[in-house]
Structure formats: structure tokens, C-alpha cells
Amino acid sequence: MKETVYNDFYLGAGCDVVIVAGCGISNCGGQDSQHDGIHRFFLEEGAKMRYVEKHYGEGDGRGKRILNPVTELHLQKGSYAELEMVQIRGVDSTERVTTAELAEGAKLVVAERLMTHGSQSAVSVYKVDLNGADSSADVVSRSVARDESYQKFDALITGNAPCHGHSECDAIIMDRARVLAVPQLDAADVDAALIHEAAIGKIAGEQLIKLMTLGLTEAEAEEQIINGFLK
Amino acid sequence: MLTLNHIRYEVEENDQCIDIIRDVGFTVGDRKFVVITGPNGGGKSTLARLISGVIRPTGGQILFDGADITSLGITERARLGIGYGLQQPVRFKGIDVKDLLRIAAGRSLSTDEACAYLSRVGLCARDYVNREVNASLSGGELKRIEIATILARKPKLAVFDEPEAGIDLWSFQSLIRVFEQMREEISDGSILVISHQERILEIADEIIVVAGGRIERQGPREEVLPHLIGTASAVNSCSRLTERS
């Protein structure tokens, strides 16, 4: 089964809203289930939005659960968008594409939390254009890759005006997983201040030791560290 | 409480066997405050790691409350009542101070209880209880939180590896008071501190001097300390501060 969902949101000047999008794919059969969503957001002057997206897939069939959400943001002068994207286990394959264009004084904050396991594959692409003076973007991804799963974080921030952009990819890698971080900065204005940070590493042995000296088993310590990291 | 019998620890490096600990034996009695001192690189921190189970000895036996714990891992030793304050406290992204104290206590803690532990190490609790134990904390703050986790854990034997390392002078004074208070409050536990700070040596019941992987000297403070004054094994943090206090 394959379906595509379109949602357009228009946020009038000065409004302040919270939008929650949940998506659960239940697939018990042997066929693939694909769920693609295209969400577009148009924020007028001074509008404020918090968008929460949670993805969770279930089902014990052999059919794959495939999810390809596209999020498109248009931020007008002085508007503010905060995105919380959570995807924990359960979804076999995702390619998430988020694009944003920001006018003068607009601000974008993205917090992504991702955990993949088994043979899952998750690709996150961000393309943020800071077009207006004093616009800013903060894109932060924290992820855990377990088993043989694959993750790619691909974030491009373009500064076309005096602006502030920051992207951060912080990944814990476990087992035989693979994580590719591709942070990109494109400064087209001398006053564009752009920063990226990317760190990939396994759980530090010292962290496990510390929690084990407090009485946790190694497995419990690992869970605590991962749960905290993805909190 | 704790007995080390003929403990050896050797590692292999470039096909060569290096002795880090060569036949060390001592006992930490009940309700005792024991300090291990000695030059850097002498094997002090290795002893702390051997006692807490982070590493296993290549020879000898460790007894805790009469039971042989030589082959037990970190978790099992922790559950028997051995606490271990690391020299370099660990940072955790996403775990806040209250989480860490709750894990240490092994039960849920009220904010008041968590705050009580923090106050004892001189941190204004309200500012810290919900802070993440991450890179935003200074070395001194982390060190105090590390000590607070041991207080919350209430181990029978608390092992502290250089609790004063990385702490500024101002904090050092209050740290000493924390240890003095612990010293007074020992009811049924013991404390083993690795330190070469004179102020900590001064509150010890017994002092063990470790150098070159061996015990050079051990005994009651009154006997051992006079031999150490003026050497690297009994460092004065700052003579001006000591004179004033």
C-alpha cells in the first residue's frame, strides 16, 4: 500500500499555535506500507508556531514500513517556528526532507530525535535559506544508530543576509551501524555567521563505568545513557 | 571492611610486562578514614580502579566484609556497598543532576532530598538540580556533583580518587569541610581517599604511602605524616590560605 498525504497550514499574522502530527503505520501483512506526507507551512508576519511530529511504526509482518515526510516552511518577517521531530524505532525506511526560507528577523529552531535499529535506514535532509537580515536557524539532531542501521544527516544552511545559522549532529553509534553526517554551510553575505558541529561516537566507556559504580548493570547503564541522550 | 592481599597488577606493552602494582596489601578497618598518598604515577589511581572493579588484579585477593570479591564486576561490587568517586568526573548529555542522584540513591528522590545532597557539597540546589551533567558545568561543579552522588549512594566503603583535582582554591576550602563532616559522621562505613593534599592527610586515621607500585609506608597518621611534610606526598594547596584558616 502506498499513499501520499498533503497538508497545507496557513498561519495568520501574530498567531501563536501548536500543531501536533502523529503518524503510526501498522503493517501486519507481508506487503510494504508506504506513507508519504507533504506538509507545508506558511507563517505570516510575527506568527509563532510549535510543530511536533512523532513517528512510530509497528507490525510484525515482513512488509516494510516506509515513511518519507516532506516539510516545507515559509517564514515571513519576525515569525518563529519550532519543530520537534521524533522518530523512535519501528520505521524501516525514511527519507525526511525539510526546507525552510526565512525573511527578516524570522527564527527557526529544529530538534530532531532519532533512533534506528535492525536494518533500518533514515535519511534527514535539511535545506535552510536565511534570506532576511537578522534571521536565524538552529538545527539540532541527536540520534542513536543500533544494529546494522544506517543514518544520514545532511544539513545545508545558506546565509544570504546578515544572519545566524547553527547546525549540530550528535550521534551515538552502536553495534555495526553506520552514520554519515554531511553538514554544509554556504555564506553569501559577509555578515552571515554560520556554524556547524558534528560528532559521532560510541557510548564512552567512562559513562558506563560511572553508572555501573552506582549499581546499574551494563545494559541498564546503556539504556539510561540513550534515554537521556534522546530526551 | 576491605582487605587487599598480595595484589599485583601488570600490563603487557610492546611484548614487555610492566608491573603497575607489585604485591600490595593493606586493610581499611570499619569506621576508618584512610588516605593513600604518594608520588604521581606510583599506582594510587590503579588501586582505586582495582578496588571498584574497573580492572581486575593479575594476582592476589580482595576481601570485602570477609567475602572474596576479586572476581566480581563493578556492578556487583557497587551493590555490595563500594562507592567510587572518579578523578575525572564524567559528562552525560541529557542526564540531569537529579537523574544522577536518583540513580545513585537507587530510588526516586524528592526535589528536597536531591537538594539536600547538593547543599552538602556547597551547590545552591535550585540552580543545579535540573541542570544537565554536560559540558556546561565546570570541572569544579562536576567534581562536587560527583561527591554528591557518593553521598546519595551511602556506600559502606566510599573510595575517592583525588577529590581535589580540578577544583579551584576557593572550592578547595569547602571541599575540605565536606570531608571533615564525612569524617565526623562515619557511623558504620569507611572512607578511602587518594590525595596528596596535606589538609586531607591531616584528618586521616591512617595513611598509606604508595610509590613505584609498592607500599612505602603505612600506619596511623601521627606516625606517618611527620615523614611526609615537605615532600610531594603532602602538598600544601596554598600556604596563604592555610595560614588564614
Side-chain angles (χ1 to χ4, degrees):
Chain A
M1 198 198 102
K2 186 174 170 175
E3 59 177 2
T4 306
V5 180
Y6 290 89
N7 285 313
D8 283 352
F9 297 86
Y10 291 89
L11 282 76
C15 73
D16 186 348
V17 293
V18 177
I19 298 169
V20 180
C23 168
I25 304 178
S26 192
N27 185 3
C28 317
Q31 287 191 317
D32 290 357
S33 167
Q34 184 167 341
H35 179 92
D36 297 345
I38 299 173
H39 288 180
R40 298 196 301 168
F41 298 92
F42 300 87
L43 277 73
E44 288 183 6
E45 191 170 332
K48 203 175 156 194
M49 172 187 79
R50 189 164 162 255
Y51 175 64
V52 181
E53 190 181 275
K54 289 190 176 167
H55 290 291
Y56 175 71
E58 61 169 15
D60 46 15
R62 284 171 293 110
K64 290 200 162 181
R65 295 168 292 277
I66 302 165
L67 190 75
N68 296 316
V70 174
T71 308
E72 210 183 287
L73 296 135
H74 304 272
L75 275 70
Q76 288 187 25
K77 190 177 172 185
S79 62
Y80 172 84
E82 187 183 322
L83 276 60
E84 198 184 312
M85 323 275 239
V86 180
Q87 182 190 321
I88 305 293
R89 293 169 173 265
V91 183
D92 288 295
S93 165
T94 55
E95 182 166 352
R96 178 192 304 281
V97 177
T98 305
T99 60
E101 49 165 26
L102 284 78
E104 188 186 335
K107 188 174 180 184
L108 172 69
V109 177
V110 179
E112 181 184 79
R113 297 285 180 271
L114 178 64
M115 190 196 321
T116 52
H117 70 149
S119 55
Q120 294 173 349
S121 154
V123 176
S124 264
V125 178
Y126 289 92
K127 202 176 159 301
V128 178
D129 292 323
L130 298 170
N131 297 330
D134 290 326
S135 57
S136 69
D138 190 16
V139 178
V140 177
S141 167
R142 275 195 186 176
S143 68
V144 176
R146 308 178 95 142
D147 306 325
E148 290 90 36
S149 63
Y150 173 78
Q151 295 180 3
K152 181 178 175 186
F153 175 78
D154 185 340
L156 167 64
I157 299 181
T158 304
N160 294 319
C163 59
H164 290 274
H166 170 242
S167 78
E168 184 181 332
C169 161
D170 204 339
I172 292 180
I173 183 166
M174 301 171 76
D175 311 312
R176 294 159 305 281
R178 182 165 182 178
V179 179
L180 172 63
V182 193
Q184 299 180 76
L185 304 176
D186 182 1
D189 187 292
V190 72
D191 287 315
L194 307 176
I195 300 171
H196 75 68
E197 299 173 76
I200 303 168
K202 64 177 182 181
I203 294 175
E206 291 293 307
Q207 292 183 324
L208 291 173
I209 288 172
K210 174 62 198 171
L211 295 185
M212 287 163 76
T213 65
L214 297 179
L216 301 188
T217 63
E218 190 171 345
E220 287 167 347
E222 209 173 84
E223 280 310 305
Q224 283 285 346
I225 292 164
I226 290 172
N227 290 343
F229 186 72
L230 294 176
K231 193 165 63 183
Chain B
M1 176 72 66
L2 177 81
T3 301
L4 272 64
N5 281 330
H6 301 293
I7 289 294
R8 303 181 61 87
Y9 183 67
E10 47 203 33
V11 290
E12 247 181 60
E13 214 170 82
N14 303 329
D15 293 328
Q16 275 199 317
C17 201
I18 302 167
D19 293 317
I20 310 286
I21 300 293
R22 316 160 189 236
D23 196 11
V24 163
F26 62 84
T27 291
V28 177
D30 292 349
R31 291 177 295 280
K32 291 287 190 229
F33 190 109
V34 178
V35 179
I36 299 180
T37 184
N40 288 327
K44 304 189 300 294
S45 288
T46 303
L47 284 174
R49 289 155 62 81
L50 285 165
I51 294 167
S52 57
V54 175
I55 50 176
R56 309 286 165 82
T58 45
Q61 195 188 32
I62 303 174
L63 301 173
F64 186 63
D65 279 343
D68 187 342
I69 61 161
T70 319
S71 63
L72 299 187
I74 307 171
T75 309
E76 291 152 301
R77 294 191 199 192
R79 289 179 180 175
L80 286 175
I82 297 179
Y84 175 36
L86 283 74
Q87 185 179 355
Q88 296 283 350
V90 186
R91 292 176 158 95
F92 296 91
K93 283 179 181 168
I95 294 185
D96 60 36
V97 173
K98 197 179 167 190
D99 289 335
L100 207 56
L101 291 172
R102 175 182 51 75
I103 294 168
R107 62 188 172 86
S108 60
L109 286 180
S110 68
T111 302
D112 280 352
E113 284 175 294
C115 288
Y117 292 120
L118 291 174
S119 305
R120 280 195 54 187
V121 293
L123 293 177
C124 177
R126 256 178 308 164
D127 295 347
Y128 285 93
V129 79
N130 293 319
R131 284 273 296 273
E132 270 187 36
V133 190
N134 62 16
S136 73
L137 294 170
S138 75
E141 289 168 328
L142 275 175
K143 203 79 191 200
R144 294 180 196 208
I145 290 162
E146 179 78 7
I147 294 166
T149 63
I150 308 293
L151 295 175
R153 180 111 196 112
K154 296 194 176 78
K156 286 188 203 164
L157 172 70
V159 181
F160 293 96
D161 190 0
E162 298 208 17
E164 77 281 1
I167 274 189
D168 59 273
L169 270 179
W170 186 264
S171 308
F172 180 73
Q173 297 293 85
S174 38
L175 180 82
I176 297 298
R177 279 194 288 277
V178 171
F179 278 93
E180 281 168 350
Q181 198 186 347
M182 272 193 247
R183 171 75 194 85
E184 283 162 24
E185 288 172 5
I186 295 181
S187 51
D188 53 357
S190 306
I191 298 171
L192 179 63
V193 183
I194 292 170
S195 173
H196 30 222
Q197 286 297 332
E198 199 181 315
R199 290 283 306 274
I200 290 181
L201 291 163
E202 279 168 359
I203 55 174
D205 293 308
E206 285 169 29
I207 296 173
I208 300 169
V209 185
V210 174
R214 286 201 176 85
I215 292 182
E216 207 167 66
R217 196 187 285 273
Q218 64 177 312
R221 179 193 64 223
E222 306 78 43
E223 279 177 25
V224 178
L225 191 55
H227 295 279
L228 302 177
I229 301 293
T231 73
S233 296
V235 178
N236 210 325
S237 65
C238 171
S239 52
R240 282 192 155 197
L241 273 175
T242 319
E243 279 158 22
R244 232 189 296 157
S245 56

